Amino acid sequence: MTGDKLPTMQAVAEKAGVSLATVSNVMNQPSRVAPATRDRVRAAIESLGYIRNAAARDLKRSRSDGIGLIVPDILNRLFVDMARGAQITAGQRGLSLLLANAVYAFESFDPLVVTDQQDQFLDFFAEERTSGILYAAMSDPTDGINRIRGHVRPIVVINYDQPGDWCSVLMDNRQAGRIAVEHLAGIGVRRVFYVSPPDAAQPIADRRRGVAEGAASQGLELTEVTTDGLEFEHGSAAMAELLAGRADGERIGFVGMTDALALGALGVLREHPELRIPEDVAVIGLDGTHDGARSDWVSLTSITLPGYRMGEEAIRLVLDEAQPGHRHERVILPVGMRLGASTLGSAATAGGADGTTP
Amino acid sequence: MTGDKLPTMQAVAEKAGVSLATVSNVMNQPSRVAPATRDRVRAAIESLGYIRNAAARDLKRSRSDGIGLIVPDILNRLFVDMARGAQITAGQRGLSLLLANAVYAFESFDPLVVTDQQDQFLDFFAEERTSGILYAAMSDPTDGINRIRGHVRPIVVINYDQPGDWCSVLMDNRQAGRIAVEHLAGIGVRRVFYVSPPDAAQPIADRRRGVAEGAASQGLELTEVTTDGLEFEHGSAAMAELLAGRADGERIGFVGMTDALALGALGVLREHPELRIPEDVAVIGLDGTHDGARSDWVSLTSITLPGYRMGEEAIRLVLDEAQPGHRHERVILPVGMRLGASTLGSAATAGGADGTTP
């Protein structure tokens, strides 16, 4: 600890031969200081390597220049995109984005048990008097936000739809389920299996609702299959079961709540060369995390999520909070679709470009 | 802004019927306060929703409880692993890790031109009097660190080998190149092509050196191919050129500085069913970012990097900095290897488990 060795404002004042007040003015209201004096003080600051103590500065205005973004886990590509969108936008506005990764982990789906540090980070950012907090919540954020509300005003809730005294940035998870099923109907699939864990979180429930809406509007036969996870192996197990029950020549569609589930399903099909993709079995994933790897043996069709734009919007809204006459917004961003051979066969360019949403 | 509406320490004191000093003691040295008084004050803090102002607290000890980690870009899986390792370890020690993503971007390799905000984040964390900084630098960090040294003592430099007044956490990039070539020699490859951009950053130069060392020790014929990027398409272009110059029946090995380069090479081989993998052409990548996707048409053998452990080590060292008698360490962590069909053929389980390093 070298706290006592720090160059002080006093040292700057002495070296420049001016008063403390003048040094303070040079740093905070330079226009009020004569140019010559200003240059002398700045030279002293430079030569001493003085950095104003942000804690002292913050105490005055009770704010730091940082904006905190709390995400469940950057292992999920959605939150990497969200963080980059927010960080690049914040940088353009001269603000520093601090990312707090909660390392969210499902321990079980039914009932939902999670370990994460989201709540602790909320307190941390409040204590640090961060200028604003972007909170990508996995559960109802109301209690946590109420606890710190008096300390950080601008808060934007991301990816969790809960009415409250804040702005929200959401993606259209129902649309994700709906357009996936509509796409399958469009290629002639009449029987759809929706493979998903239980509704442990909002996006899971919303995608399920969207799938049901799409199936109803298209008049498809929908069967829901519940898994106890959202990874590759859970998708493989589900597909193996479907094939066991599949009538000869029947055409089926597999919709995975995540790309990993869909990839697991494709893994099983690989061991069944007698089954044609997509003529016998079509597969689609709903979270776009697989990112259309061109090394896939069959490129996956999947829904792409607007993570980057969610980050951009969240910064816009958190800054608008500070404006007079601000009114809370609830922004819902559309999803997209990446077309692959898992629904279009050789017609699709491997790892094809994003399609647009209907 | 509701700064004026914040519940104050004064309000807590009044509600609890004690002095300001007593409230302060309850928060900072509770053992010095009678239990009954302590409970009364804590009840008042609770009911008023008072959160001590970290800026005021930091001003006293001139430190916050946060540790800053600056990374080039979490788009690269290495830095996601690093951030998670550091964050989980910091959480276990009761510290909050703040991730600053510099959104590092290569604009050209030769000469190296980059855009990033790493230096700005260094100043930001210094201004905020962060307890420590973990700095995954892409270029010589000496000037930046010297600039802020008086303000933040514990600094750990990650992934950039530069002697200085700090601890370093590195991975063995030479070993990465060496064991990749040794692996190819082990399966009978005698002619190796190393495909990499110019030495714009340390890891690139170190992997190249390791490849050369491995080729020399194994007596292999080594040809270096320079690309102007490290993505899929650059690898495809390089492989297309190699095949054009390949003598009939000649067995060659392709070593990509990144997995993306190696995957691009495999993409070209897919259009040449007459070529057997790995009997005619073997392929390996050096950065493990592809993570052995089980959906690959041919699973890739690649070197795995110790990102998570680098994060763990960096937290251990930054905390040790605060200990009396601390001596700087230079930690070099070994890499691993993930075996795939691109070098072992059907002998490899698709996306096989990590091998150990020789």
Side-chain angles (χ1 to χ4, degrees), chain A residues 151-208:
Chain A
H151 309 277
V152 176
R153 186 66 211 155
I155 296 175
V156 173
V157 174
I158 307 176
N159 208 33
Y160 194 93
D161 193 13
Q162 176 63 43
D165 179 22
W166 49 75
C167 290
S168 306
V169 178
L170 308 165
M171 61 179 150
D172 195 340
N173 281 296
R174 279 170 72 174
Q175 180 195 32
R178 206 171 53 243
I179 65 177
V181 171
E182 287 167 356
H183 174 62
L184 291 178
I187 63 168
V189 172
R190 307 305 305 161
R191 183 165 190 207
V192 171
F193 293 85
Y194 182 55
V195 178
S196 168
D199 294 345
Q202 271 189 354
I204 304 178
D206 292 346
R207 288 174 201 174
R208 183 189 309 280

Side-chain angles (χ1 to χ4, degrees), chain B residues 21-220:
Chain B
T22 306
V23 176
S24 166
N25 284 339
V26 169
M27 292 188 299
N28 302 315
Q29 314 159 64
S31 58
R32 292 177 51 180
V33 183
T37 317
R38 209 157 57 202
D39 297 345
R40 215 161 64 246
V41 171
R42 283 175 175 160
I45 289 174
E46 186 63 31
S47 69
L48 290 171
Y50 174 76
I51 292 185
R52 65 188 168 160
N53 184 330
R57 185 200 58 212
D58 296 348
L59 196 57
K60 289 212 199 65
R61 34 170 249 259
S62 183
R63 288 287 170 251
S64 89
D65 288 330
I67 290 186
L69 167 61
I70 303 172
V71 297
D73 200 334
I74 51 176
L75 264 190
N76 184 328
R77 177 58 187 265
L78 169 67
F79 299 110
V80 170
D81 294 342
M82 196 181 286
R84 297 182 86 251
Q87 200 261 309
I88 289 171
T89 312
Q92 290 159 350
R93 311 293 195 91
L95 292 163
S96 301
L97 185 86
L98 301 178
L99 181 58
N101 187 41
V103 189
Y104 181 91
F106 278 114
E107 290 179 351
S108 85
F109 277 97
D110 199 12
L112 179 62
V113 180
V114 297
T115 11
D116 72 40
Q117 301 184 299
Q118 293 197 300
D119 218 46
Q120 296 167 39
F121 277 120
L122 215 46
D123 289 346
F124 178 83
F125 284 133
E127 278 208 1
E128 297 297 324
R129 296 289 194 271
T130 310
S131 313
I133 297 177
L134 316 181
Y135 186 14
M138 291 296 285
S139 53
D140 188 340
T142 305
D143 293 349
I145 291 176
N146 288 345
R147 188 177 65 245
I148 65 166
R149 191 85 238 204
H151 308 277
V152 176
R153 186 64 213 156
I155 296 177
V156 174
V157 174
I158 307 176
N159 206 34
Y160 193 94
D161 192 14
Q162 176 63 43
D165 178 21
W166 49 75
C167 291
S168 306
V169 178
L170 308 165
M171 61 178 150
D172 194 339
N173 280 298
R174 280 170 72 173
Q175 179 195 33
R178 203 171 55 243
I179 64 176
V181 170
E182 287 166 355
H183 174 63
L184 290 178
I187 62 168
V189 173
R190 307 306 305 160
R191 182 163 190 207
V192 171
F193 293 85
Y194 182 55
V195 178
S196 167
D199 295 345
Q202 271 188 352
I204 304 179
D206 292 346
R207 287 174 201 173
R208 182 187 309 279
R209 195 170 306 118
V211 165
E213 290 165 359
S217 73
Q218 301 292 319
L220 304 189

Side-chain angles (χ1 to χ4, degrees), chain B residues 282-307:
Chain B
V283 177
I284 183 169
L286 295 192
D287 70 3
T289 53
H290 185 56
D291 212 9
R294 281 172 285 188
S295 54
D296 287 340
W297 75 281
V298 168
S299 61
L300 177 68
T301 294
S302 57
I303 300 301
T304 56
L305 307 181

Side-chain angles (χ1 to χ4, degrees), chain A residues 39-57:
Chain A
D39 297 345
R40 215 160 66 245
V41 172
R42 285 178 173 156
I45 288 173
E46 187 63 31
S47 68
L48 291 171
Y50 173 75
I51 292 185
R52 68 191 166 155
N53 184 329
R57 186 200 58 213

